[in-house]
């Protein structure tokens, strides 16, 4: 049996980087006042179709959707933003607190063509803020993302930012885009021809070469912003400059999801081939209301966890895997019985203890203690038990300490903690 295409195992040997990222992300989010949220992996299909947009690639071709036994159409979440909005509305989270900040880590599912950096089950680290219209929160999120990536050793990644405007200025931009595409319509792919009527902004995100060529020199959203959107974008830019965050204006960036308004951004890298986006996000001031909640400004981003780990691997990021505090070398059946009991006890006292019950020789067991990188080794054999004295060896200093059998567990805990 094998994993299915686009799905993969993350093995214990690979997990150190994942855990490091998770820990750093949680620390940083918590210090900025974000709280973890956990939500279901399956939701009603309509939630994603309505939020991400009926004419997006995700909804049109990438969702894992199935009919459950009662006839409901359900979907494995392709992203987290829609579900977090659903939870925000369902639990009336706006009622208790005007501003809510969440983070989430977990698997997402998209049926894309698998390749390096692109999987059908992949992981995201997601952050969302509800209730703040101020552009400072846009900058806070971009800064936070930037700071996290730097903490993880990724330097020189610049944020591509753009403003997609709001319902007040979007029609003006759409008109300019449709005028521009006028005589180029025939060069568009069949999908984009449909999008001309249904959702012209999506054409800007089409990957088909003929569409890319037809779009060369197309109008930019930033040139069609209303005064409020322009002021908002100016403040985002100046506050990012003050914070020393590297960014560039990318007026071709529209993102692949329909819910965005105003600021949108992506962090790109050149090290992952075609899959250049390590993280992406933006504002979605209309979505909560469109899903039935009160009018609530909102904004967030998601990091592609798999891609981030791949970049860190390419940078040869080493996470020092800590060995056990103690390895018990036990020789003979009686010694093994003691080793078993003590290792169970010590592990519950916060002393990470390992032992080996395969009846190997002293030499083989010492070799193993070295291999697992144990800080201390305790040697027990029949002689030691008869004399009621055991030897504890500090593997770094080679120093040996004798300890009596009475009160052994507490004495060991003391010695090792020191
Ligand atoms: P997204 O750009 O679709 O945005 O995904 C965010 C990140 O997830 C991407 O930049 C990429 O690193 C990673 N990603 C996407 N698809 C795959 C895949 N098939 N394999 C591996 N990694 C992948 C969102 O999902 C939005 N919900 C972000 C957001 C949050 N916007 C506002 N709040």
């Amino acid at each position: 049996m094998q994993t299915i295409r686009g799905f993969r195992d993350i093995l214990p040997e690979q997990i150190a980087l994942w855990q490091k990222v998770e820990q750093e992300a949680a620390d940083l989010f918590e210090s900025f006042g974000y709280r973890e949220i956990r939500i279901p992996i399956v939701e009603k299909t309509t939630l994603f179709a309505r939020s991400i947009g009926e004419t997006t690639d995700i909804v049109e071709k990438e969702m894992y959707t199935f009919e459950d036994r009662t006839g409901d159409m359900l979907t494995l979440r392709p992203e987290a933003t829609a579900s977090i909005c659903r939870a925000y509305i369902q639990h009336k989270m706006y009622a208790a607190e005007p501003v809510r900040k969440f983070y989430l880590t977990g698997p997402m599912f998209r049926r894309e063509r698998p390749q390096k950096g692109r999987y059908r089950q992949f992981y995201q680290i997601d952050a969302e803020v509800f209730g703040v219209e101020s552009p400072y929160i846009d900058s806070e999120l971009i800064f936070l993302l930037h700071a996290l990536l730097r903490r993880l050793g990724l330097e020189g990644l610049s944020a591509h930012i753009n403003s997609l405007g709001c319902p007040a200025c979007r029609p003006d931009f759409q008109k300019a885009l449709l005028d521009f595409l006028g005589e180029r319509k025939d060069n568009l792919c069949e999908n984009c021809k449909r999008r001309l009527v249904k959702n012209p902004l999506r054409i800007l995100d089409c990957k088909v070469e003929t569409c890319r060529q037809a779009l060369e020199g197309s109008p930019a959203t930033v040139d069609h912003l209303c005064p409020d959107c322009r002021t908002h974008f100016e403040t985002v830019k100046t506050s990012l400059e003050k914070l020393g965050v590297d960014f560039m204006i990318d007026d071709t960036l529209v993102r692949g999801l329909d819910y965005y308004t105003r600021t949108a951004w992506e962090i790109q890298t050149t090290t992952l081939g075609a899959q250049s986006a390590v993280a992406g996000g933006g504002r979605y001031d209309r979505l909560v209301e469109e899903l039935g909640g009160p009018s609530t400004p909102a904004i967030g981003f998601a990091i592609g966890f798999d891609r981030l780990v791949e970049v860190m691997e390419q940078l040869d990021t080493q996470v020092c895997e800590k060995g056990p505090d103690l390895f018990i070398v036990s020789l003979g059946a009686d010694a093994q019985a003691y080793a078993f009991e003590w290792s169970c006890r010590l592990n519950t006292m916060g002393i990470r203890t390992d032992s080996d019950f395969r009846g190997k020789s002293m030499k083989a067991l010492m070799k193993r203690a070295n291999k697992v990188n144990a800080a201390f080794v305790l040697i027990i054999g029949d002689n030691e038990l008869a004399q009621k004295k055991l030897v504890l060896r500090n593997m770094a200093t080679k120093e040996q300490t004798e300890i009596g059998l009475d009160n052994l567990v507490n004495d060991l805990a003391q010695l090792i903690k020191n």
Side-chain angles (χ1 to χ4, degrees), residues 364-396:
L365 291 175
M366 284 308 286
K367 216 166 146 187
R368 183 148 173 74
N370 253 322
K371 182 155 186 234
V372 298
N373 210 9
F376 289 86
V377 169
L378 182 72
I379 301 164
I380 335 171
D382 290 343
N383 280 347
E384 284 81 1
L385 287 177
Q387 290 168 14
K388 297 197 172 202
K389 275 191 193 134
L390 309 184
V391 171
L392 180 72
R393 182 178 168 86
N394 182 324
M395 297 296 274

Side-chain angles (χ1 to χ4, degrees), residues 264-278:
W265 73 95
E266 250 171 39
I267 305 278
Q268 299 181 0
T269 162
T270 48
T271 53
L272 291 178
Q275 302 316 310
S276 58
V278 177

Side-chain angles (χ1 to χ4, degrees), residues 260-330:
Y260 291 114
T261 50
R262 294 191 167 170
T263 321
W265 73 95
E266 250 171 39
I267 305 278
Q268 299 181 0
T269 162
T270 48
T271 53
L272 291 178
Q275 302 316 310
S276 58
V278 177
R283 227 173 222 289
Y284 50 95
D285 290 341
R286 309 270 313 127
L287 186 56
V288 175
E289 194 176 356
E290 277 166 15
L291 292 176
S295 169
T296 310
I299 179 165
F301 68 76
I303 301 175
F305 202 159
D306 308 68
R307 291 188 192 171
L308 175 57
V309 167
E310 274 163 34
V311 175
M312 290 171 72
E313 279 167 353
Q314 289 195 7
L315 292 173
D316 210 14
T317 312
Q318 303 289 337
V319 182
C320 186
E321 275 200 65
K322 238 179 125 193
D325 299 314
L326 179 69
F327 187 93
I328 307 181
V329 167
S330 54

Side-chain angles (χ1 to χ4, degrees), residues 13 44 68 87 90 125 146 165 177 182 209 224 227-228 263-264 272 280 314 324 332 361 372 381 413:
E13 292 72 29
K44 289 200 176 131
D68 88 348
Q90 181 176 336
I125 301 173
H146 194 252
L177 181 63
E209 192 47 41
H224 295 267
D228 284 351
T263 321
L272 291 178
Q314 289 195 7
S361 68
V372 298

Side-chain angles (χ1 to χ4, degrees), residues 118-313:
R118 189 158 77 192
Y119 307 98
R120 290 178 171 179
Q121 175 175 338
F122 59 99
Y123 292 78
Q124 282 188 345
I125 301 173
D126 186 277
E128 312 287 349
V129 179
F130 292 86
V132 190
E133 201 180 354
S134 159
Y136 289 123
I137 204 75
D138 308 36
S139 304
E140 177 186 291
L141 278 159
I142 299 171
F143 174 75
L144 204 164
L145 176 56
H146 194 252
L148 177 60
L149 297 176
R150 281 185 70 155
R151 259 195 200 189
L152 295 169
L154 278 72
E155 300 284 340
L157 291 183
S158 142
H160 291 230
I161 69 170
N162 195 14
S163 175
L164 304 181
C166 68
C169 45
R170 187 76 58 85
D172 181 39
F173 171 72
Q174 278 192 4
K175 185 178 174 305
L177 181 63
L178 289 176
D179 288 349
F180 171 83
L181 287 172
E183 67 251 29
R184 300 166 194 238
K185 274 183 203 154
D186 294 341
N187 301 341
L188 298 178
C189 70
E190 289 310 308
N191 252 347
C192 284
K193 281 184 186 143
R194 274 190 300 119
R195 288 165 173 158
L196 273 172
V197 189
K198 287 190 153 181
N199 189 354
L201 205 73
R202 279 272 65 80
I203 300 172
L204 295 171
D205 202 36
C206 184
K207 306 287 179 292
V208 175
E209 192 47 41
T210 47
C211 296
R212 303 245 45 88
Q213 283 167 6
L215 284 166
E216 265 171 37
S218 66
T221 48
V222 279
D223 296 330
H224 295 267
L225 297 179
C226 61
D228 284 351
C229 286
R230 204 173 311 132
T231 313
H232 187 100
F233 197 42
E234 282 309 314
T235 312
V236 173
K237 290 189 283 183
T238 49
S239 54
L240 283 176
E241 273 160 13
K242 275 206 184 116
L243 288 166
V245 174
D246 266 344
F247 68 90
M248 57 186 277
I249 308 299
D250 182 348
D251 60 21
T252 63
L253 183 91
V254 286
R255 310 267 303 122
L257 307 99
D258 275 353
Y259 47 62
Y260 291 114
T261 50
R262 294 191 167 170
T263 321
W265 73 95
E266 250 171 39
I267 305 278
Q268 299 181 0
T269 162
T270 48
T271 53
L272 291 178
Q275 302 316 310
S276 58
V278 177
R283 227 173 222 289
Y284 50 95
D285 290 341
R286 309 270 313 127
L287 186 56
V288 175
E289 194 176 356
E290 277 166 15
L291 292 176
S295 169
T296 310
I299 179 165
F301 68 76
I303 301 175
F305 202 159
D306 308 68
R307 291 188 192 171
L308 175 57
V309 167
E310 274 163 34
V311 175
M312 290 171 72
E313 279 167 353

